[in-house]
Amino acid sequence: MVPDLMRGLGASLEQVLWVVNGFVLVYAALLITAGRAGGIVGPRPLLIAGLLLFGSASFACGLATSPEQLIIARVAQGIGGAMIVPQSLTLVALMFPENRRGAALGVVSATMALAAIVGPVGGGAIITAWGWRWAFLINVPICLLALAMALRYVPGMRPDHHQSLDWGGVALVTAGLGAITYGLVEGERYGWGTVAGPVTIPSVLTAGLLLLCAFAWWEHRHAAPVLPLGLFRYRSFVVAGWLACVQFVVMLGLMLVITLHVQRAQAGSAIDAGLILLPMAVMAGLLSPLAGWLTDRVGGGRIIMAGFAAMAAGVAWFALLISPSVPVLGLALPSALVGAGVGLVMAPASTEAVRGLPASLVPAASGVLNTGRQLAGLLGVTLVGVILQTGSAVRETVASGRHEGADAVLAGAFTAAARPALITLAAVALLAALACLLLRSRPSRSPSPQMTSLAP
C-alpha cells in the first residue's frame, strides 16, 4: 500500500506511516474506555455507534483526496473499531449461560483468528487487484450488513445501576496506553533512540508506564473507576488474560517472520505469504468452535495447554525448515500446526478469563483483554524485529550491492537471523503451556449473574 499511497495521494513516507499508526494508536488507547462505556450505557448502543463510525470513516478513507484527509479518517476508524471490539466479548458473556459461553466464543474467536491472519494478506490482494481505495471501501458493505444484524438480533442490555464515566481515569489511561503504543510502533523507525530534541523512545515508554501507574493510583481512590482494580483479584482472569496476550505475541511475531521471509529471502509477494498463512487460518477457524464447545464441558486449562504446545511445536518446525529454497508447500504443515494451536487457545482463553466474573465487571474485563491482545501483538512484532535486526544488519551491510551474489547473501543472512527469532517465540509458547497448570481444570457449574436485558 505504501507505494500506491505515495503515488496516488502524493503522500510522503512520514504521512503514509501515520495512515497506519494513527489507527493503531487511537484503537489501542481507547479499548479500555470503550469497554467501560459499554458497561454504563449498554454494549448494544456502543456497537451500533461504532459500526456507523467505522463504516463512515472507511467510506471517507476510500474517497480521500489528500494525505491529511486520509489520516483523519483513519483516526476516526480507530475510534470506531475501539467502540466495536470490546462489546463482542461483553455481549457473548452476558447473553449466554456459562455452560454455553465457550461454544459461542468459539464462533467469535474463529472470525477473529481468520481476520488477524487473512486480513493483511487479503488487503494486499485487494490493493493489487483493485487499488488502495478498495482496501477501505470494502469495509462499507460489511459494516452495513453487521449493522443490520445488530439492529435485528442484538438485545439491548445495561446494568441495573447507573454510573458516570470517570473522565480523569479516561485521560490517564488513554495517555498512558497511547504513549506505550507509540513507543512500540515507532521504536524501530527511530532506532529506539531520539525522536525530537530531548524526547526519546525510552522516555516515551517510561512516561507511558508512569501514566499507567498514576491511573492505577487514581482508580484505587475513585468511587466509579474506569477499570475496577478488583478485577485483578480473580485468578482465572489474570492467568487466562495473560495467556490470551501471549498467544498474540507468538502469532503476530510469527506472521512477521513469514512475511519478511517471503519478501526478503524468496523475493515473493503478499499472495505468496498468504499461501503459507492459509493453512494456519483454516485450522484456527475450524478448531476454535470445537475448542470453545469442549471448554464448556471439561474446562479450558488442558485445551489451552495443548494449544500452546502445538504452537511451540509448529514454530520450532518453522525454525528447522526455513531457508531461501524451501517451497511454499513445504511450510504448509507447520503452518497448519500453529493454526491448530491458535484455534485451541483463543476461545478457551476468553472463556476462562470471564468465567465467574460478576456481570458488572465483564465490560471492563473485555476492554482490558482486548487492550492486552493489541499491545501483545505489537510487542511480538517488536521483539521479532529487534532480533532480526541484531542478527542480520552487519551481514546485510556487507553484502548489499558489493558483488553478484549479494542477493543470496542477504537471503542467507535473513534466514540465519530468523531462526533465533522463531526459537524465542517457540520458547514463549512453551512457557505459556506450563502456565496453564495455574488454571482450573474443570468449569464451575454455578450460574453466572446476567445484566438486565431490554427489548432491542
Side-chain angles (χ1 to χ4, degrees):
M1 182 184 287
V2 173
D4 294 304
L5 287 177
M6 294 178 74
R7 287 192 301 267
L9 288 181
S12 66
L13 180 60
E14 180 81 13
Q15 289 171 323
V16 173
L17 290 175
W18 274 106
V19 168
V20 177
N21 296 342
F23 176 92
V24 174
L25 282 170
V26 174
Y27 176 74
L30 293 179
L31 282 167
I32 287 179
T33 298
R36 177 60 178 151
I40 293 175
V41 304
R44 184 175 185 264
L46 263 290
L47 176 64
I48 291 171
L51 287 170
L52 286 170
L53 180 57
F54 190 88
S56 300
S58 297
F59 188 68
C61 286
L63 298 183
T65 58
S66 71
E68 293 78 13
Q69 290 178 7
L70 184 56
I71 291 170
I72 293 171
R74 283 286 284 167
V75 169
Q77 260 193 328
I79 297 172
M83 294 169 68
I84 294 169
V85 171
Q87 316 314 325
S88 60
L89 176 58
T90 300
L91 284 166
V92 170
L94 298 174
M95 287 172 63
F96 290 85
E98 189 168 300
N99 61 355
R100 294 174 54 199
R101 191 179 295 160
L105 285 173
V107 176
V108 174
S109 298
T111 60
M112 289 176 59
L114 289 171
I117 297 170
V118 177
V121 179
I126 290 172
I127 292 169
T128 301
W130 299 334
W132 66 268
R133 293 184 185 276
W134 281 100
F136 300 112
L137 293 175
I138 195 69
N139 292 325
V140 177
I142 295 173
C143 285
L144 289 175
L145 176 62
L147 181 61
M149 295 180 69
L151 291 170
R152 175 66 180 85
Y153 296 109
V154 175
M157 309 179 88
R158 67 168 178 244
D160 294 328
H161 51 84
H162 297 280
Q163 293 182 349
S164 60
L165 198 58
D166 167 22
W167 291 106
V170 168
L172 287 170
V173 73
T174 301
L177 290 174
I180 290 174
T181 304
Y182 178 87
L184 292 176
V185 169
E186 296 285 292
E188 185 175 351
R189 184 157 71 98
Y190 289 105
W192 302 99
T194 301
V195 177
V199 179
T200 64
I201 292 297
S203 68
V204 170
L205 291 171
T206 301
L209 290 173
L210 290 175
L211 284 167
L212 291 184
C213 290
F215 169 69
W217 174 85
W218 177 274
E219 296 296 273
H220 183 67
R221 286 157 179 76
H222 201 277
V226 176
L227 176 57
L229 298 183
L231 180 64
F232 297 98
R233 297 193 184 103
Y234 292 84
R235 189 178 72 172
S236 60
F237 173 77
V238 173
V239 176
W242 179 79
L243 293 171
C245 293
V246 171
Q247 179 196 23
F248 272 65
V249 171
V250 177
M251 184 173 70
L252 294 188
L254 175 63
M255 289 171 62
L256 176 63
V257 173
I258 291 173
T259 301
L260 293 178
H261 166 73
V262 171
Q263 294 176 345
R264 290 190 181 185
Q266 297 187 321
S269 66
I271 303 299
D272 297 320
L275 291 175
I276 296 176
L277 294 172
L278 183 60
M280 188 188 305
V282 171
M283 289 300 294
L286 289 175
L287 287 184
S288 284
L290 175 62
W293 180 81
L294 287 173
T295 301
D296 290 334
R297 284 147 182 81
V298 301
R302 294 174 184 174
I303 299 170
I304 300 173
M305 179 181 287
F308 274 115
M311 291 180 72
V315 174
W317 198 351
F318 267 112
L320 290 174
L321 292 181
I322 194 168
S323 73
S325 60
V326 65
V328 170
L329 291 178
L331 297 175
L333 288 178
S335 177
L337 185 56
V338 173
V342 171
L344 291 174
V345 170
M346 189 170 287
S350 297
T351 304
E352 293 296 335
V354 298
R355 190 188 300 281
L357 291 182
S360 60
L361 291 180
V362 171
S366 179
V368 172
L369 187 60
N370 284 288
T371 300
R373 282 170 165 163
Q374 179 70 15
L375 293 179
L378 293 175
L379 184 61
V381 169
T382 300
L383 175 64
V384 166
V386 169
I387 296 173
L388 291 177
Q389 278 191 325
T390 303
S392 62
V394 174
R395 280 167 286 186
E396 288 190 7
T397 301
V398 172
S400 182
R402 298 295 181 85
H403 54 78
E404 292 182 359
D407 289 342
V409 174
L410 288 170
F414 174 80
T415 300
R419 286 200 177 97
L422 291 169
I423 291 171
T424 300
L425 293 176
V428 170
L430 191 58
L431 176 64
L434 295 175
C436 293
L437 296 172
L438 299 174
L439 285 174
R440 186 171 52 201
S441 61
R442 288 189 175 275
S444 169
R445 297 302 178 187
S446 60
S448 57
Q450 303 291 306
M451 297 176 85
T452 303
S453 178
L454 304 173

